């Protein structure tokens, strides 16, 4: 189900200006078939994602001690940097050996490894935070407790407590517990919190590989996604960062459907539909907020002018996608269309009392100590980050108005914005929230993607101008004055390694146990809950614990 990349640049071959120009991938293919190399990238990404969590299991520290937490984060950062630098060194070495024949393969592997290492860092942070306790974050309290209870029910053939809750996480947890934890869904949820966070990087990298070359997928797809990585309930954010490239790839394929043969066309359409069905079963909210934008993009890029046969192929592609989606998720869709309409969310949270136009930072349901919120900005109360985002929205549309990738992401941004305001505008009348603040994440991700796509589109145009000026790969700094792309690849990998390492450390630190009204309370409570054998977790404060854990933090909420 691979789509032709948009990450291409037109350059002249070594023959010089007299030779004809030809498009090549931004990172050229190395030896081996495309499918084999993609499989290798997937294996490397998932293996790298598991490395740091496995190493973190050997740390000897008290996870409730702040100095120990800082030492643990530094130890993870050291291992992350050393392993990542080894992969980048292999890329540099490949450039020098055998005339660079294996440079592109090494760059692919390094890109996949860095994506896996980055999410593995966050997962390893969860290992450190939960060291010494078998419980998942927050134990059996809040969302964690409900998920554990419902998963236990569905694993034993009983209905869950909520028919509208996405079934895939519940069944996954229930069966995982049966296979690996003796049916203990509570202890199994801890495993899946860690594994889910670890899988985030490889999954988002592989999804963007449907559209972009390896380094571009890492820079323009994976890096923006790490603003959303979550170790508490990793599946919801993972669905968002996968849904965007999958829907973009669907629209791209639709725009090219008239030129496809019938068999690959129907197979690709069914593949997209089945994949979207699995994502819908895992978390459906993003579909609601994206639907209008994707519908607009699909209408725009439907092969209307490709003749009767072309239009028939476009319709067949969409029909195959819809049929496969309904086979996978049709039953749950009917539940959402019926019972979902009567399910009301009356839980007003911190963000429901702030300016609905502010989406750039989500303080979570447990915001901790905050002053003026949203933070005051320089331009009419709006900060520089917001200005850059909106400027990039306009610039991306300007530079990529004919590209399905840009138009689809911009349409998803606008769709989520409109749905956010529609739901929020009815809050007073209905006294319900309906999770509209969760559109923060979609707006932020799409906004960051549009900023990244501006750099992507500018780099493409620079490469095209270099080709027009007659500066081929062997011309060095001729033409535009920029060195050959190999240096750009190595430089980008170094920058992305440090960027993702810093972001991953911050997101891992977000879950280090502390007794405060932030997400840090989640693992803190896990260390204060009595284990099922009646003992206390190893690092329980004062050696005391209770059935529900330490709930005195609730006094911090005003």
């Amino acid at each position: 189900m691979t789509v032709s990349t948009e990450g291409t640049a037109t350059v002249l071959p070594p023959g010089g200006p007299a030779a004809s120009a030809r498009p090549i991938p931004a990172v050229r293919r190395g030896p081996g078939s495309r499918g084999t190399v993609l499989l290798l990238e997937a294996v490397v990404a998932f293996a790298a994602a598991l490395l740091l969590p496995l190493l973190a299991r050997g740390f000897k520290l008290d996870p409730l001690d702040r100095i120990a937490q800082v030492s643990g984060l530094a130890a993870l950062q050291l291992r992350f940097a050393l392993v990542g630098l080894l992969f980048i060194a292999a890329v540099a070495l490949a450039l020098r050996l055998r005339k660079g024949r294996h440079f592109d393969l090494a760059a692919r592997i390094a890109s996949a490894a860095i994506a896996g290492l980055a999410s593995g860092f966050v997962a390893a942070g969860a290992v450190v935070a939960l060291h010494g306790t078998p419980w998942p974050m927050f134990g059996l309290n809040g969302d964690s407790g409900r998920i554990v209870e419902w998963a236990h029910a569905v694993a034993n053939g009983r209905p869950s407590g909520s028919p509208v809750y996405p079934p895939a996480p519940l069944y996954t947890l229930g069966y995982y517990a049966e296979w690996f934890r003796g049916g203990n869904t509570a202890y199994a949820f801890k495993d899946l919190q860690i594994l889910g966070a670890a899988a985030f990087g490889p999954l988002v990298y592989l999804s963007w590989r449907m559209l972009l070359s390896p380094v571009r997928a890492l820079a323009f797809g994976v890096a923006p996604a790490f603003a959303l990585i979550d170790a508490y309930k990793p599946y919801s954010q993972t669905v968002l960062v996968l849904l965007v490239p999958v829907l973009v790839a669907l629209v791209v394929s639709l725009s090219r459907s008239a030129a496809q043969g019938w068999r690959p066309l129907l197979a690709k359409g069914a593949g997209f539909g089945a994949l979207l069905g699995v994502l819908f079963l895992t978390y459906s909210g993003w579909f609601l907020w994206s639907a209008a934008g994707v519908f607009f993009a699909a209408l725009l890029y439907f092969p209307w002018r490709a003749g009767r046969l072309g239009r028939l192929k476009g319709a067949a592609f969409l029909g195959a996608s819809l049929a496969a989606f309904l086979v996978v998720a049709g039953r749950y869709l009917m539940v959402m269309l019926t019972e979902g309409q009567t399910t009301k969310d009356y839980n007003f949270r911190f963000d429901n009392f702030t300016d609905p136009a502010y989406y750039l930072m989500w303080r979570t349901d447990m915001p901790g100590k905050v002053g003026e919120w949203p933070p005051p900005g320089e331009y009419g109360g709006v900060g520089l980050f917001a200005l850059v985002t909106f400027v990039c929205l306009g610039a991306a549309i300007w530079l990529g108005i004919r590209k399905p990738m840009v138009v689809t992401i911009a349409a998803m941004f606008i769709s989520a914005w409109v749905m956010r305001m529609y739901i929020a505008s009815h809050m007073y009348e209905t006294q319900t929230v309906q999770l509209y603040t969760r559109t923060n994440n979609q707006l932020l991700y799409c906004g960051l993607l549009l900023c990244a796509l501006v750099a992507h589109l500018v780099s493409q145009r620079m490469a095209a101008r270099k080709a027009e000026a007659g500066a081929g790969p062997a011309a060095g700094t001729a033409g535009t004055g920029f060195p050959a792309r190999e240096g750009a690849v190595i430089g980008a990998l170094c920058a992305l390694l440090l960027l993702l390492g810093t972001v991953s450390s911050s997101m891992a630190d977000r879950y280090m146990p502390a007794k405060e009204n932030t997400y840090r309370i989640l693992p803190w409570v896990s260390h204060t809950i009595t284990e099922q054998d009646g003992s206390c977790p190893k690092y329980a404060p004062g050696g005391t614990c209770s059935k529900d854990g330490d709930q005195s933090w609730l006094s911090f909420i005003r």
Side-chain angles (χ1 to χ4, degrees):
M1 200 171 63
T2 301
V3 179
S4 301
T5 68
E6 293 200 16
T8 58
T10 303
V11 301
L12 291 178
S20 59
R22 61 185 177 88
I24 64 170
V27 176
R28 296 186 298 267
R29 295 181 186 177
S33 69
R34 179 179 176 85
T36 302
V37 176
L38 283 174
L39 178 61
L40 178 61
E41 289 179 56
V43 171
V44 170
F46 282 106
L50 294 176
L51 178 62
L52 291 180
L54 290 174
L55 293 176
R57 294 182 63 187
F59 290 1
K60 299 185 184 300
L61 50 79
D62 179 352
L64 275 62
D65 183 276
R66 183 56 185 167
I67 298 299
Q69 294 172 5
V70 173
S71 295
L73 290 171
L76 292 174
Q77 189 72 248
L78 177 63
R79 288 156 177 78
F80 171 85
L82 290 177
V83 175
L85 288 172
L86 284 176
F87 279 99
I88 296 176
V91 178
L93 189 62
L95 177 61
R96 302 297 299 272
L97 297 178
R98 303 188 68 179
K99 298 181 180 181
R101 178 184 177 188
H102 297 290
F103 176 82
D104 299 309
L105 178 61
R108 286 174 178 266
I109 293 174
S111 300
I114 291 173
L117 285 170
S119 59
F121 193 138
V122 179
V127 172
V128 172
L130 296 172
H131 177 59
T133 177
W135 296 104
M137 292 187 187
F138 219 31
L140 299 179
N141 300 284
D143 288 349
S144 180
R146 285 191 290 270
I147 292 169
V148 166
E149 178 185 353
W150 295 343
H152 182 76
V154 298
N156 288 276
R158 301 192 305 273
S160 72
S162 173
V164 299
Y165 196 84
L170 304 182
Y171 280 96
T172 301
L173 175 56
Y175 288 117
Y176 177 91
E178 292 291 332
W179 296 335
F180 299 106
R181 285 289 192 173
N184 188 330
T185 51
Y187 289 2
F189 193 35
K190 173 187 173 180
D191 297 347
L192 292 189
Q193 286 176 334
I194 295 168
L195 292 173
F200 182 92
L203 290 174
V204 66
Y205 172 78
L206 294 171
S207 66
W208 278 104
R209 285 290 285 114
M210 293 190 296
L211 296 158
L212 299 171
S213 60
V215 178
R216 291 174 184 266
L218 182 64
F220 306 137
V222 175
F226 268 74
L228 305 177
I229 189 169
D230 183 12
Y232 178 42
K233 293 188 296 182
Y235 53 87
S236 62
Q237 307 305 332
T238 301
V239 169
L240 170 60
V241 297
L242 296 183
L243 182 64
V244 174
V246 170
L247 288 175
V248 170
L250 174 70
V251 174
V252 171
S253 293
L254 174 64
S255 69
R256 300 170 179 172
S257 58
Q260 292 277 314
W262 281 104
R263 182 174 296 179
L265 177 76
L266 295 176
K268 186 178 291 186
F272 276 117
L275 180 54
L276 289 171
V278 172
L279 294 177
F280 186 77
L281 291 174
T282 306
Y283 193 82
S284 57
W286 315 119
F287 286 78
L288 172 64
W289 302 319
S290 303
V294 176
F295 182 72
F296 167 79
L299 285 178
L300 190 63
Y301 289 101
F302 188 85
W304 299 107
R305 293 182 292 181
R308 180 179 299 178
L309 180 61
R311 292 192 294 271
L312 181 61
K313 285 186 174 182
F317 175 80
L318 291 177
S321 299
L322 178 60
F325 176 84
L326 292 176
V327 168
V328 174
R331 183 176 179 182
Y332 178 55
L333 176 63
M334 290 303 299
V335 171
M336 292 298 295
L337 291 176
T338 54
E339 298 188 43
Q341 300 300 314
T342 60
T343 301
K344 304 296 182 182
D345 177 15
Y346 299 99
N347 186 16
F348 281 78
R349 304 168 181 85
F350 168 75
D351 275 0
N352 298 124
F353 298 94
T354 63
D355 177 7
Y358 184 80
Y359 66 89
L360 297 165
M361 192 190 322
W362 184 45
R363 289 298 300 257
T364 78
D365 298 339
M366 297 173 286
K369 296 180 180 180
V370 292
E372 182 179 354
W373 192 261
E378 298 82 6
Y379 174 71
V382 176
L384 180 61
F385 184 28
L387 294 177
V388 170
T389 301
F390 290 123
V391 168
C392 287
L393 169 65
I397 295 174
W398 170 47
L399 295 171
I401 188 63
R402 298 184 182 277
K403 294 183 178 290
M405 178 190 297
V406 174
V407 173
T408 303
I409 294 174
M412 292 177 70
F413 179 96
I414 296 170
S415 174
W417 179 274
V418 172
M419 288 297 298
R420 176 186 181 87
M421 298 307 164
Y422 174 78
I423 297 173
S425 68
H426 289 77
M427 271 198 310
Y428 181 72
E429 176 186 352
T430 63
Q431 291 297 299
T432 62
V433 176
Q434 302 305 93
L435 296 177
Y436 86 85
T437 53
R438 297 301 190 266
T439 56
N440 282 24
N441 296 326
Q442 181 166 331
L443 290 168
L444 177 60
Y445 186 45
C446 290
L448 290 172
L449 287 174
L450 290 168
C451 292
L453 285 175
V454 170
H456 168 63
L457 295 169
V458 169
S459 69
Q460 283 188 318
R461 289 179 177 268
M462 289 173 58
R465 291 187 63 182
K466 180 177 179 180
E468 292 170 1
T477 60
T480 62
F482 285 96
R485 71 170 186 91
E486 287 81 1
V489 168
I490 296 174
L493 290 175
C494 289
L496 289 167
L497 178 72
L498 296 177
L499 171 64
L500 290 172
T502 304
V503 172
S504 297
S505 183
S506 175
M507 299 305 280
D509 188 38
R510 180 187 187 191
Y511 295 99
M512 289 299 161
K515 191 175 180 179
E516 58 186 42
N517 182 28
T518 67
Y519 264 17
R520 294 182 176 187
I521 196 61
L522 302 177
W524 172 275
V525 170
S526 304
H527 287 277
T528 64
I529 300 175
T530 306
E531 297 184 21
Q532 293 190 342
D533 62 2
S535 63
C536 288
K538 183 177 180 179
Y539 298 102
T544 61
C545 55
S546 62
K547 179 175 179 281
D548 297 322
D550 183 3
Q551 298 296 318
S552 61
W553 66 277
L554 291 170
S555 62
F556 302 153
I557 301 177
R558 293 182 174 86

